[in-house]
Amino acid sequence: MAAEEQEEQEEGGKRPQFGNRQLRDPSRVFQHNAWDNVEWSNEQESAAYQKVQENSSQLVPPEKQEEYESKANGFWDAFYTIHENRFFKDRHWLFTEFPELASPSGGRRCPDGHVTEGGTGGDAHPKEVQAEICRGLRDMGLGEGAFPGETASYRIMEVGCGVGNTVFPILQNNPDPGLFVYGCDFSSTAVELVKSNPHYDPSRCLAFVHDLSDERASYPMPEQSLDVIVLIFVLSAVLPNKMQSAVSRLSRLLKPGGSLLLRDYGRYDMAQLRFKKGRCLSDNFYVRGDGTRVYFFTQDELGVLFTSAGLETVQNVADRRLQVNRGKQLTMYRVWIQCKYRKPRDAAQQGNRAP
Ligand SMILES: C[S@@+](CC[C@H](N)C(=O)[O-])C[C@H]1O[C@@H](n2cnc3c(N)ncnc32)[C@H](O)[C@@H]1O
C-alpha cells in the first residue's frame, strides 16, 4: 500500500501547489519526477475501463467479504505492526493545499477569550503572554471542560489518522495556543503509535480509537464543535454502503462555517488498474493482499456524499498526475480527488453547540 501513495515524493523537498507543472512537450517526460493535470486520451480512458471490467469480472466470495468487513481493523493493525512508523510521510503539500490547517481564519484566541493575531476585535495579548496564560489555566485544571479540547478555540479532527502523518505536522506548524487536534483511527495499533510519538502532547491533542463506519460509536466531542475535519485516504477504506451515514455523522460535528477536507483515490488510478482478477469486492472496491480495502471515487460520487450530508462545495478536483520513474524509465498515471466542503453558516442549529 505504501508504494501506492507516492504522491508525496517530490524532488527537492518543497512541494509547490498541485497543478503547476505541465507536460507540454512529451519528449521531456523523463526530465521531472511528476507532471500535473495530465490529459487522458479517449484510448487511454477506454483501456482503463476495459482493465477494470476485466479485474472486476470475478468477485471475492461473500464469506470472505464478510471477514474483510468484520475484521477490517485487525487487517490495519497487522499493517501497522509490520510497517510501524515507516509509513510516516512528510507531507509538504498539506499546508499549500489545505491552508485551513495552518492557521485559523478567525484569529488566534486562548481559552480566556483574548484574541491575538489575525482576529477582529478583542484585547490582544502578545503571543508569549497568551501561551503562558493558556498553560497556566491548564495547569490549574481550569480550561478543561466537559469534553477534551472544550476550551480550545479552533478544533481540527483527522479521521483515519494512521500514525499521525497529518496530526503532527499540524501541531508543529500551527503554534496557535487555542488549537486542539483530534486524531482517530479504528486501528488501536496506529493510535498507540501516535500516542507514543515524542511530539504527542495531551494538552494540545487527543488520539483515540474510533470506527468511522460504526453508527453506534460516538465521538468524544459534541455536535457543531469542530472547525475542520480531515479525511486523507480513509473514506476509500470504508464499505461503500456505509459511506453516506459515516459522512453525515461527521457533518453534524462541524460548526456552521466549518470545513471538511478530503484527499483520496480517484477512478482509474494506477492502483486500481493494477489489481488482478479475484480481488474485487464490488464495483470499484477492492481488497489488497494484506486484507485492507480501497475504493476508487469519481468526483461526482464524492459530491453526492458531501452535499447529501448538507455541505456546500468549495473545491472538488481530480488531480491527474503522471509520475515518472526516471531510473527505470517507467510512467505511472495517478488519479487523486481533492475536495473541500463547507457547512453553511446558517445550518440549522441542532444539538449542543460548543463555543
Ligand atoms: C491509507 S491509511 C491513511 C492514514 C492517514 N490518513 C495518512 O494519510 O497517513 C487509512 C487509514 O484509515 C484507517 N481506517 C480505515 N477504515 C477506518 C474506519 N472505518 N474507521 C477509522 N479508521 C479507519 C486505517 O486504519 C488507516 O490508518
Side-chain angles (χ1 to χ4, degrees):
M1 203 271 299
E4 292 168 10
E5 293 203 7
Q6 289 170 347
E7 89 276 33
E8 301 87 1
Q9 310 306 332
E10 270 298 310
E11 302 161 85
K14 276 272 171 218
R15 208 237 164 269
Q17 192 157 19
F18 295 138
N20 289 340
R21 189 179 284 154
Q22 319 271 335
L23 176 62
R24 297 191 212 288
D25 172 3
S27 68
R28 295 185 63 231
V29 65
F30 290 111
Q31 291 186 8
H32 286 292
N33 285 349
W35 299 96
D36 295 321
N37 294 334
V38 179
E39 297 263 343
W40 281 41
S41 64
N42 290 341
E43 292 74 39
Q44 188 176 2
E45 193 85 28
S46 52
Y49 173 82
Q50 273 310 322
K51 185 83 194 116
V52 167
Q53 295 305 302
E54 277 163 42
N55 74 14
S56 50
S57 60
Q58 182 191 326
L59 298 185
V60 172
E63 58 291 355
K64 282 300 285 179
Q65 296 229 16
E66 172 50 34
E67 187 186 341
Y68 290 130
E69 171 64 4
S70 60
K71 298 186 181 156
N73 58 338
F75 288 110
W76 279 104
D77 280 340
F79 173 88
Y80 287 114
T81 302
I82 295 166
H83 297 282
E84 294 192 343
N85 277 335
R86 285 189 292 282
F87 187 58
F88 190 86
K89 311 268 180 197
D90 188 5
R91 290 195 163 135
H92 300 295
W93 54 262
L94 265 181
F95 302 101
T96 37
E97 295 301 317
F98 298 136
E100 297 81 354
L101 302 176
S103 75
S105 51
R108 301 183 166 183
R109 201 172 309 190
C110 69
D112 69 348
H114 286 82
V115 178
T116 59
E117 307 158 33
T120 48
D123 295 334
H125 290 313
K127 229 198 231 154
E128 318 72 58
V129 177
Q130 179 194 21
E132 198 49 48
I133 292 171
C134 294
R135 220 171 292 126
L137 283 169
R138 282 174 182 147
D139 288 350
M140 287 188 292
L142 301 171
E144 290 309 324
F147 66 96
E150 184 186 16
T151 55
S153 53
Y154 198 76
R155 304 186 193 94
I156 300 177
M157 173 162 77
E158 188 189 13
V159 182
C161 64
V163 295
N165 290 338
T166 301
V167 166
F168 292 118
I170 295 173
L171 288 169
Q172 281 156 6
N173 279 274
N174 188 337
D176 181 357
L179 170 75
F180 198 86
V181 182
Y182 307 87
C184 66
D185 201 290
F186 74 168
S187 161
S188 53
T189 310
V191 170
E192 279 316 309
L193 285 166
V194 171
K195 286 185 161 172
S196 61
N197 188 302
H199 297 293
Y200 186 79
D201 173 357
S203 72
R204 301 186 71 212
C205 64
L206 173 75
F208 58 98
V209 176
H210 180 90
D211 182 348
L212 161 73
S213 67
D214 181 355
E215 55 189 17
R216 291 158 310 168
S218 54
Y219 288 92
M221 70 289 292
E223 293 184 359
Q224 304 202 28
S225 61
L226 297 178
D227 293 275
V228 183
I229 295 176
V230 188
L231 298 171
I232 297 186
F233 296 107
V234 60
L235 197 56
S236 52
V238 169
L239 194 68
N241 67 17
K242 293 187 176 175
M243 287 177 186
Q244 183 65 69
S245 56
V247 169
S248 298
R249 279 193 297 281
L250 289 175
S251 166
R252 290 199 285 273
L253 296 176
L254 282 178
K255 291 178 184 173
S259 303
L260 192 149
L261 314 177
L262 169 139
R263 192 165 167 83
D264 217 323
Y265 295 101
R267 186 71 46 84
Y268 300 159
D269 176 54
M270 175 191 82
Q272 180 175 15
L273 305 187
R274 278 189 177 174
F275 274 107
K276 300 272 179 285
K277 212 171 175 170
R279 310 304 303 174
C280 186
L281 299 157
S282 58
D283 285 351
N284 305 297
F285 191 44
Y286 299 79
V287 61
R288 303 181 180 99
D290 62 5
T292 63
R293 298 169 302 172
V294 57
Y295 186 83
F296 296 88
F297 292 101
T298 63
Q299 288 168 264
D300 286 350
E301 286 169 348
L302 285 165
V304 169
L305 283 172
F306 295 132
T307 52
S308 302
L311 304 176
E312 298 170 338
T313 314
V314 178
Q315 181 191 55
N316 180 334
V317 292
D319 176 3
R320 292 181 181 275
R321 188 92 52 86
L322 173 56
Q323 284 183 339
V324 175
N325 182 326
R326 292 197 263 178
K328 295 186 181 158
Q329 298 272 296
L330 287 177
T331 52
M332 296 165 283
Y333 286 89
R334 307 305 319 251
V335 186
W336 294 292
I337 312 285
Q338 184 167 301
C339 293
K340 291 187 194 188
Y341 280 78
R342 188 169 41 219
K343 187 157 183 175
R345 289 201 182 271
D346 58 357
Q349 307 290 299
Q350 316 156 345
N352 296 330
R353 180 152 178 217

